[in-house]
Amino acid sequence: MALFTSKRSGSSPRPGRVAFARLVLVAVSWAIFKVVPALKGRDGVFNILPTGSIIFVLWTVLLSTAPHPAALPGSGLALATFGAPIFSCCQRLVDYSFCLKSTLLTQLGHQAVKLRPLPKQAKRTYLAMDTESEVIGYVVPVFRANHDAVRGLMEAQEGEVREEGVNYVAMRNLFSRESREAMEVKVYKKTRTTNIRESAERLEVGKTVEERVELRKKMNSDNLTHPPEFIVKPRGQTVWEGKTVTLHCTVAGWPKPRIAWYKNNVLIDAKAHPEKYTAESNYNMHSLEIKNCDFFDTAQYRASVLNVKGEASSVASVVIKRFQEHEEADLLYSKPHGFCPEHGVTFETAIIDKFEVAFGSEGETVSLGCTVIVFPTVKKYQPEVVWYRDSVALKPSKWVHTHWSGERATLTLVHLNKEDEGMYTLRVNTKSGFDTYSAYVFVRDAEVEVEGVPVAPLDVRCHDANKDYVVVTWKQPAMEGSSSILGYYIDRCEVGTHHWAQCNDTPVKYARFPVTGLVEGRSYVFRVRALNRAGASHPSRVSEPVVAMDPHDRARLRAGPSAPWTGMIKFTEEDPTVGVVPGEPSDVAVTEATKSYVVLGWKPPVQRGHEGVMYYIEKRIAGTDHWQRVNTGMPVKSPRFALFDLAEGKTYSFRVRCCNSAGVGEPSVATDDITVGDKLELPSAPGNVVPTRNTDTSMVVSWGASKDVKHLVGYYIECTIVGSDVWMPCNNKPVKKTRFVCHGLTTEASYVFRVKAVNAAGYSQSSPDSDAVVVKAAVSISGKPTGVTLLEAARDYMVVGWKEPASNGGADIRGYFVDYRTVKGGVTGKWHELNEKAITTTSYKAENLKENVLYQFQVRAMNMAGVSTPSLGSAVLECKEWTITVPGAPRGLHVLEVRDTSLVVLWDPPAFDGRSPVNGYYLDIKEASAGEKGWKAVHEKAVKAKYLKVTGLTAGASYVFRLRAQNLAGVGKSSGALGPILAQTRPGTHEIVVDVDDDGVISMIFECSEMAEGSEFIWSKNYKAITDSSRLTMVTSGGMSRAIFNDPSLEDLGTFSCVVTNTEGISSSYTLTEERLKRLLDISHEHKFPVIPFKTEMAMDLLEKGRVRFWTQVEKCTSDCHVEYVFNDVIVTQGEKYTMHFDKTTGIIEMFMDSLEVMDEGTFTFNLVDGKAKGTTSLVLIGDEFRELQKKSEFERAEWVRKQGPHFVEYLDFTVTPECDVLLKCTIGNIKPETEISWYKDSIEIEADDDDAKKIEKTDAVLTFNIGKISKKDAGIYEVKLRDERGKDKSVFNLTDAGYEAVMNELFRVIANSSTDVKVLSTEHGIVLYSFVTYYTEEQRVGWLHKDAKLASSERVKSGVTGEQLWLKINEPTEKDKGKYTMDIFDGKDGVKRVFDLSGQAWEEAFEEFQRLKAAAIAERNRARVIGGLPDVVTIQEGKSLNLTGNVWGEPVPEVSWVKNDRELVSDERYTLKFEHGKFASITIAAVTPADSGKYALLVKNKYGTEAGEFTVSVYFPEDEESKEKKE
């Protein structure tokens, strides 16, 4: 307080006045600040600078003279309240005025003033200084570029920069003022007490000042600020077209530096082009992303950073490389679409219904088209459709027609020529971006009229056109014809005429020719024809028209008028150079030199006047001084001249003179000596040709470029099918790349390729032939994996799984790469790789993760062609400990061995087992078209293996599978669905075949006809790859693999499978069981120790006359096979007793003996030897067997003797016909007409007049005795005897006892089998089951069963036979009678059963019919009816009394009425009607009259029915009767 008091005691103003002045200053400043918006300068800008400066000066004085705020009773509060804000506003006004004034001045003077870069020596300063060199702010520098380009960037950053600068200045001034106040201490003479007190106060103030100084040192911005510097500079990159480039840099500096990116010193506005650039700045790390790079993105990119302390820059070069093939060399592939602010939408483009690779011939018309869909649709907006050929935009012409209908874009190529061949691209431009589609068009040569002539040249162009001179170039055709091309003829035609003139008399081999003698100002077109020994080709397509005129005049015409008409006419004096002889030309040189011509070129002289100049050309042979004028007749107008007819091999020099009307000028400097000859050599042969597969109809052909070739035109590719000598062109337009896609090839055909280069000098030698390659689809990058899910989670790791890609690209998946990114607050981070080395499983354990952090995962697949695009990201997953007790979902579901009715599903165990290990799996299946309710289990019990064969599938149906794992806690969740899988056997599928070779080696063979490049056979046992070669040896050759068992045993039991890699799942399996192994070992033993196989073991046949035949048959044998015939170990040979025969074609071995004698008892053996194979077969004939055979032999001999006379071929026997007639039959043979045939019964011959003789019949050699329906009286012994002079024979049949029983049993069989199916019939009494037979005899037993229980006959249930009907009657049936009924008919053995199920509908229908009939019967019995008593006609005399009584029946008692002529009668005086005892109804008519004649009826009626007893009454007169009698 003493300090401030001492200041007031000096000459300073009084505190009250000072406070009042300060308050007034505050008010005045505030008023000025409020009035500022109304103050404007002449240029319309606020006069902020002077106003702010005034307020700023006033407040500076105020603050500089103000004591500490605590010492001011009134103004201190004002300063504390208003000082800082007003001071800050004033400083902001000053800074803003400087910036805004500078900006507007720059805008106003933009047309006349250019911004210039500062010289390198000048170091920019961005600090704003006052007169005392005090920093009062800083100025935001303007980037060195067009002001319009940076204005937006400056305005966007201005507010933030200004606020930061003002805060900095305010902070600095505050510290400076406080420092000055602390140092302003004046010393006054005071008392001791005062000095002591003030000393103490000074010590306290000094301590405070020191603390504030230390704080200022820490907060002083001069100590904190420093210029920007690059910690990490952006690095240059080289990438392919279509890729994305990101430039990164890290910058340090304070205040925070601002960054701007430049491309070739032009500012990049990323916000204006978000589809192309993305600029990011985070924590002093800056990046610029350039999307979908094309060739024009090749540039130098500069990052410029600056703050108040300075600036820094760093440059990085980005180079964009083009691909080598046409398909990717263009800048025409699609770019991502961005927002269109004009229409407020983002246009999306889809190109569908695309044109494919096209083929055409010269002269034809080809149309290409695509359907284009642009979404959303904006009214009156259409996209721009542009067509390109080989990256060059096409313009409509007579050869090219384009059409856009609003939906479909069409390009029509009229009258195709080889120039039209190339890559065609449709580009659809919208205001959001563009999309493209490309395909190649091939143009074949037109048919030639003369066989062997070359095809037409192509691409005729005109160059270096002058007043009377033009150079014509062309490209050689792909095919030279039957012989090499000798040269070319060039034809010209003046536009507007149809006359073609040949320009050269001698064919030129060089594909470039100077045409002279043109008329200045006229237009010409040119064409070229090729010539070989067979003749000339068709002419090429004509060139574009060219005008013969001076190039400078042509340039002026193209440029048009240099400036618009200004109304000013400029007069010049006449050029004093008119009439002056022109000077000498300059730069005379030989521009082209061949053995056919030399072309000179020069520059016109500087001094030539306005009338123009012409030229004379002179030549000189080297070594001489004699100059000879070449164009003596007419000087040339063009500064070009072609000299022909020069001597090849000679050396010349040339010079040129100018001339005009004033004379001929001095000659030019002579050229150097030049020797006439071809300067351009033929290209060298291309390098090795490497064809690679592309599609089913195309190949990619690559080759080494020709070395040291000059002016290369391109390459022609030729191909031939293996086995053919015909080479065909793959392209008719030369390509300059060393890679070309040859289309239009034949699938599965083998091709050889070669390449030749061409330049203007001609063709090179063909390259070496390539290796033969079969045309088939190449391996491509696989599809992306799907279904990324979480399988297990812990505190610091997660296990994710996924499904294999739907398409493997024609090659097996070699592995997977997993990426992850974090998710915080809904914001996703960048993707990072988890594994550097590809993993082969479909799951991955991501370790070292953070607990409770959210992650996303994506997966990429890799095959031999490369890495696929990433899968869709997984759901957001949290890394935390799982507490699930059941196992997780199994992984890696896939199928093998897909067939029409079966397939094999394989899987990997779940990554998470739960609380206990997995002890089994459940596989579910459903058809692809079924919903979630269609799932069903494949098996009931859990399987422990990790594979399962599913059978019973429907061929052609698609199925989906899922799998669940179980442990002791239960069954876990299902895996992801696998499928749909089509149950269909691929055509050409082979199965594993087990083979045993001749040496007994057992092996499994699997063949594959669809081997791809890099395909391998992988053998597995129980679906685990076989790595141990001790049990199996694998041998692979071409498309076949053999797995050979080294030592087959029980250890080899199991399922063996084989999978072919790089194919679409070609696989097969074979299960080796113990039974199969035993069989294979037996076969192996047989092959090691071969035995001649016998089709039939040795057998014996008895032939006629009792001859014996021993025989056998072998399966196969060679011509070297021989047999030893052995009897009781003794070899027997051909002789009287034995006859042998061996037919090697059939393998039948025979040995014959005429008879068997006692000494022939023993063993007969055939020993066979066929190379190393042996075989033995034997037949033992001893003991009873031999004696039985001997008897049969003797019998056969006796039979032979018997058959020499009449005999029985078939002895007498019986048969029963279907009609149940019994026949005795026999067949006789060797009969003559005189042979006697006699029949006997019970030893009594049946004579011709006996009744039984009628039963005997003879048909051919068959004798028949028809007994008919047999009965016991027909029993007896029947006998037939044959006799003539050659001998006799007889046959007996005993039809008694056993014989009779056998006949009856056969009869019973026929009867039983003739029975029909049981049918049902309903009657009024019940239900009848019946069946019919052909015939019935009482001895036939028939039984009925109900529910397999025999039915006993009763009053209610009866069975019987009526005629041929067998029946079972069930009276008054009930529910108990329902069930199965069986009729059992004895057939001599077990019986024939006929079953009828009397239940269900059959019972209901039968029972209903029974009830109906029963009711009808009851109704019939009880219905009312007239049962008698009434006559039909009653004749009665008039006056008599008529009394008729009718007997009536009915239950209940019927109602009775009488009618006459359909009118009911009632009882009265005339009619007496009675009904007595319920049975008698009577009518009495006392005295009849003629009126009583008529029809009467007695009507009876009850509930069961009605009946009428009708009768007629006729009344006559007596006299009529008398007269009648008289007449009679």
Side-chain angles (χ1 to χ4, degrees), residues 230 327 383 448 474 562 710 740 801 831 888 1002 1248 1266 1305 1385:
F230 283 91
E327 290 80 357
V448 295
W474 61 92
S562 59
K710 295 181 180 179
F740 186 73
W831 290 105
I1002 304 173
N1266 189 352
N1305 286 339
I1385 309 177

Side-chain angles (χ1 to χ4, degrees), residues 1376-1434:
K1376 294 182 180 180
D1377 296 319
K1378 294 170 62 176
K1380 182 180 72 174
Y1381 286 85
T1382 303
M1383 181 182 69
D1384 188 3
I1385 309 177
F1386 179 68
D1387 67 344
K1389 293 183 180 180
D1390 299 329
V1392 174
K1393 295 178 174 56
R1394 306 294 184 195
V1395 179
F1396 186 83
D1397 189 4
L1398 189 61
S1399 61
Q1401 184 178 357
W1403 163 263
E1404 292 175 358
E1405 292 177 353
F1407 189 76
E1408 182 180 352
E1409 181 66 11
F1410 155 69
Q1411 289 181 321
R1412 187 186 68 79
L1413 293 176
K1414 180 179 178 182
I1418 293 173
E1420 181 62 25
R1421 286 196 302 271
N1422 296 328
R1423 72 176 176 83
R1425 56 181 181 269
V1426 179
I1427 58 177
L1430 294 178
D1432 293 333
V1433 177
V1434 176

Side-chain angles (χ1 to χ4, degrees), residues 21-33 51-66 72 75-91 173 177 180:
R22 287 172 178 167
L23 290 174
V24 172
L25 181 59
V26 169
V28 172
S29 301
W30 184 255
I32 294 173
F33 183 77
T51 306
S53 300
I54 295 171
I55 301 175
F56 181 79
V57 170
L58 291 175
W59 275 93
T60 302
V61 173
L62 175 65
L63 293 176
S64 63
T65 59
L72 301 177
S75 62
L77 178 61
L79 287 173
T81 306
F82 302 104
I86 296 179
F87 183 82
S88 177
C89 291
C90 294
Q91 180 62 39
N173 290 342
R177 180 174 57 81
R180 288 194 301 271

Side-chain angles (χ1 to χ4, degrees), residues 391-405:
S391 301
V392 177
L394 296 176
K395 297 181 180 178
S397 65
K398 66 177 181 178
W399 311 116
V400 177
H401 298 167
T402 60
H403 178 69
W404 166 246
S405 66

